[in-house]
Amino acid sequence: MKVCGDPRFPTTLIKIPIPAYGKTQVQTYFDLAYPGKLNPEYSRYNPLPIKTGTTKAGLPALGASNSKAIYAREHVYEQSMSALFVDYLKQIPDLWLDSAGTNQFCDWVIEHLLNPTAYYPGVPVYPVPTVFEDIGNCYPGGKRGGNAMVILEHQSNMYKNKLMYATESQLNKMVKHPLIKPDTFSKYCVNTQVSKLRAAAGVASYMNDHTVKENFLHNNACIRDVWSDWYAKYLTSNVDAPNKATVNVPNIYDNWISDVVNGMVPFLRLEIESLILLYNDGLTTAADVDLSFAILLDNVNILNTKGQPIATGNTPFTSARPTTRQELTDNILKVIPDITWAKALPRH
């Protein structure tokens, strides 16, 4: 959580425990569908499109010899989402404010969500679970979260989180951050600029994959069930919150989630449009650009975890393609799809 505790003192922070997920099963891998073209569409791969070497367990390595991440397991329902929704509830004092109007939100969170209570889950069980523990168990590796995850190219993994955070920060009245800082983007060479534009733009097609969608919806439904169950018990409890029946936590949750997912692509398009204007020092003339998987552009001689050159097989690698700002607009910005299932998320 961001509204409770002081980041300077980690022991004061309130967190939702997320299960370890490093050994979850791999459903599939995602990277650029057309690495040698400008198209930013992402596609499923099984096995990985490039040979990164293997771990001691005989699995494909997700990083390079210098510990640089290439791929990573991806929480489609981001790890931060559940905690940020709790932060959002601070704006709804009818849910938690006592009759004296003197209690503090973070104290209420500790008492009713972080710690065990007398009213939840309302059935005899030991040890008594907390709301936060039950939410955490909805994530991959948890009792209700399944044991399988997709693996996404590292850059896209980071940008997806930022795309969700854009609306989360707006709803939670926090500082909004750009997808990529303009000054940072302007300092990249044109190869890196285009690579990052494609990695960010590819998130939308990734979200439209059936497995990705189902992973999100499964985790989302599980966490909503926890909130629904807890709120029903909270309403009938003797907790001093006289206006608690005037709000509907499951409905508030639905609307918050819908806003976050539906806000991803509009923010993405605005950010990509602004970044394209900075491409090639803001010039409208063409620059020669290399196109391939991001890790190969970063360093074509990069080594795998065993210190051997990464095997690229028949990976398309386009060298010195003359590319203008308009081509980036036509081939990256204008082909970003909507998230096809976002509008179907429940709203109230």
Side-chain angles (χ1 to χ4, degrees), residues 145-334:
N147 191 43
M149 299 178 72
V150 297
I151 290 184
L152 178 60
E153 189 273 325
H154 179 63
Q155 288 187 128
S156 283
N157 200 331
M158 294 189 299
Y159 293 140
K160 175 184 159 287
N161 190 13
K162 289 187 175 184
L163 292 177
M164 288 186 164
Y165 188 76
T167 302
E168 292 166 347
S169 61
Q170 182 178 359
L171 293 170
N172 289 20
K173 299 180 180 179
M174 301 183 297
V175 176
K176 192 174 183 178
H177 299 291
L179 189 63
I180 306 173
K181 292 179 180 179
D183 288 348
T184 301
F185 185 81
S186 296
K187 294 175 182 177
Y188 291 140
C189 67
V190 291
N191 290 345
T192 301
Q193 286 180 335
V194 173
S195 176
K196 292 187 178 297
L197 290 174
R198 296 172 76 199
V203 170
S205 60
Y206 164 77
M207 292 293 291
N208 282 332
D209 179 84
H210 178 74
T211 301
V212 172
K213 178 187 82 169
E214 290 301 312
N215 285 0
F216 182 92
L217 294 179
H218 173 79
N219 297 148
N220 182 55
C222 179
I223 291 172
R224 187 193 191 278
D225 285 347
V226 174
W227 281 117
S228 182
D229 188 27
W230 168 81
Y231 184 58
K233 306 296 193 308
Y234 183 68
L235 281 180
T236 58
S237 73
N238 61 0
V239 173
D240 179 16
N243 295 324
K244 61 187 176 184
T246 65
V247 299
N248 187 312
V249 171
N251 286 2
I252 293 169
Y253 173 83
D254 285 341
N255 292 343
W256 191 86
I257 291 295
S258 174
D259 285 340
V260 169
V261 177
N262 279 285
M264 292 175 69
V265 168
F267 177 72
L268 172 62
R269 288 172 176 153
L270 286 173
E271 291 292 288
I272 293 293
E273 184 176 22
S274 297
L275 292 170
I276 286 175
L277 295 176
L278 303 176
Y279 165 72
N280 190 26
D281 295 325
L283 301 175
T284 58
T285 51
D288 290 339
V289 175
D290 295 339
L291 301 171
S292 191
F293 293 121
I295 191 64
L296 304 182
L297 294 170
D298 181 66
N299 178 357
V300 294
N301 295 314
I302 198 162
L303 305 179
N304 65 25
T305 52
K306 294 183 178 180
Q308 303 163 337
I310 286 179
T312 59
N314 296 319
T315 299
F317 196 114
T318 301
S319 298
R321 180 195 188 281
T323 304
T324 65
R325 199 163 70 187
Q326 185 60 49
E327 287 180 289
L328 299 182
T329 298
D330 294 340
N331 293 279
I332 297 179
L333 174 62
K334 290 185 177 180

